[in-house]
Amino acid sequence: MEFSQDLCQLYHLCVGFNQDPCNEDDFKFIYEYDDDFTTFPTISVLALKVCLTKMFETPGLPQFNIMSLLHGEQIVEVSNPIPPGSPVRCIAVMEDLADKGKGMLMTVRIDLKNPENLDEMYSRCYMKFYVRGLGGFGDKGILDQKIPDPPAREPDQTFEAPTDERLALFYRLCGDVNPLHIVPSAAQLAGFEKPILHGLCTYGILGRAVYETYCEGDVSLIKNISVRFVSHVYPGETIKVDMFKEGDSILFSATTLERKAVISTGVVDLKPQAKI
């Protein structure tokens, strides 16, 4: 997969970097001539296209309608930054299938590596999807990757991230072209009032919230980012992120200011140098 320079810049703008166009601290993500030009760790989720291919090519897996698919959790474990403008070898494995009664939890692991040196890992993604209607086969799976709940206390920090009403139109250009995010009738068929924001765009925004609050501009401090998707975001809403510091980890809960709906919970694990 090609992580072209333009794709990397588009992704970073979509998840909210350089909302202030004069903020040179963010130039490392959006300006190709910056001395520290790099990528933000959540960009690894653009390997979703490889994940979808693996889903539909796995032997023995029943066919299903992609509209019955819900993205339940997303984990990115960071090893090295993906160089902007470089090809990446994406190796997808169907890691686990677990019976959840009325549906099935499907976990696809994707290793993103340097194609010229497969010993160099950029990141490892775990994409967890709930597939409605494919449960009842009895196997509870083998993975135990529990994302901790945030504590029941006042947050240590709060971050607000406004989103543009056209954000889903821009983010789909990163490769996720599900009509749910652009066609009103498709969104209504799925039970939404109107097209919703991509969950993986929200994922990047949540990662940025923790980065801007705790990392003092040093993206290398992020070890991994784990998010559980609880509900949806409509483009144009403001995402409020309540953060709780627990050792070297930042637990969080995210809501929409407009509807007061909890949309995600999760945790970002940081290296000890981070400002926590």
Side-chain angles (χ1 to χ4, degrees):
M1 176 179 172
E2 185 76 23
F3 279 74
S4 70
Q5 179 178 290
D6 290 348
L7 177 62
C8 293
Q9 292 166 313
L10 173 63
Y11 174 82
H12 293 136
L13 290 170
C14 284
V15 301
F17 287 106
N18 270 102
Q19 296 218 356
D20 174 2
C22 294
N23 177 13
E24 295 190 21
D25 291 339
D26 284 353
F27 277 14
K28 66 171 72 73
F29 302 116
I30 60 98
Y31 183 47
E32 64 274 17
Y33 294 115
D34 189 88
D35 290 341
D36 298 317
F37 191 41
T38 188
T39 55
F40 192 67
T42 57
I43 200 170
S44 298
V45 302
L46 297 188
L48 173 68
K49 291 184 288 186
V50 180
C51 175
L52 292 175
T53 300
K54 175 57 64 174
M55 286 182 200
F56 290 105
E57 291 183 351
T58 300
L61 189 66
Q63 293 296 307
F64 58 89
N65 188 325
I66 195 170
M67 296 300 288
S68 68
L69 198 68
L70 300 173
H71 200 152
E73 296 179 2
Q74 177 65 50
I75 300 170
V76 171
E77 298 174 350
V78 184
S79 297
N80 295 289
I82 295 172
S86 65
V88 175
R89 177 77 179 275
C90 301
I91 304 170
V93 175
M94 184 63 72
E95 188 81 353
D96 197 27
L97 298 171
D99 185 359
K100 294 297 181 181
K102 294 182 179 180
M104 173 182 68
L105 184 64
M106 176 168 53
T107 302
V108 179
R109 187 191 82 223
I110 305 177
D111 290 342
L112 289 82
K113 298 185 176 185
N114 180 348
E116 297 181 359
N117 177 13
L118 294 181
D119 290 332
E120 182 182 359
M121 177 86 82
Y122 294 136
S123 61
R124 171 169 287 175
C125 292
Y126 291 95
M127 296 186 169
K128 296 175 178 283
F129 297 90
Y130 182 80
V131 188
R132 290 172 290 192
L134 287 188
F137 54 89
D139 194 322
K140 298 303 180 183
I142 57 174
L143 287 183
D144 184 19
Q145 296 174 309
K146 293 181 180 178
I147 297 176
D149 293 322
R153 60 177 176 85
E154 290 298 308
D156 298 300
Q157 298 284 348
T158 296
F159 184 97
E160 292 186 4
T163 64
D164 191 284
E165 290 185 353
R166 301 168 298 166
L167 182 52
L169 305 183
F170 298 138
Y171 188 83
R172 70 186 302 273
L173 302 179
C174 293
D176 187 343
V177 295
N178 188 329
L180 178 67
H181 305 294
I182 187 171
V183 180
S185 59
Q188 290 163 6
L189 186 64
F192 303 106
E193 296 176 11
K194 55 185 177 180
I196 62 174
L197 186 60
H198 304 71
L200 290 180
C201 184
T202 301
Y203 177 82
I205 292 170
L206 297 175
R208 177 176 65 87
V210 174
Y211 164 76
E212 293 192 1
T213 304
Y214 286 101
C215 293
E216 297 185 325
D218 187 353
V219 70
S220 70
L221 295 179
I222 297 175
K223 292 170 59 179
N224 58 65
I225 304 173
S226 304
V227 171
R228 178 186 303 112
F229 300 112
V230 178
S231 188
H232 60 281
V233 175
Y234 288 119
E237 292 186 314
T238 296
I239 299 171
K240 176 173 175 282
V241 189
D242 290 331
M243 291 172 271
F244 309 83
K245 54 184 179 181
E246 298 281 337
D248 291 329
S249 298
I250 307 301
L251 284 70
F252 59 84
S253 176
T255 59
T256 59
L257 280 184
E258 292 77 6
R259 292 179 293 119
K260 312 300 181 187
V262 177
I263 57 165
S264 300
T265 61
V267 59
V268 177
D269 293 320
L270 302 173
K271 296 177 182 177
Q273 300 97 314
K275 182 188 70 176
I276 61 173

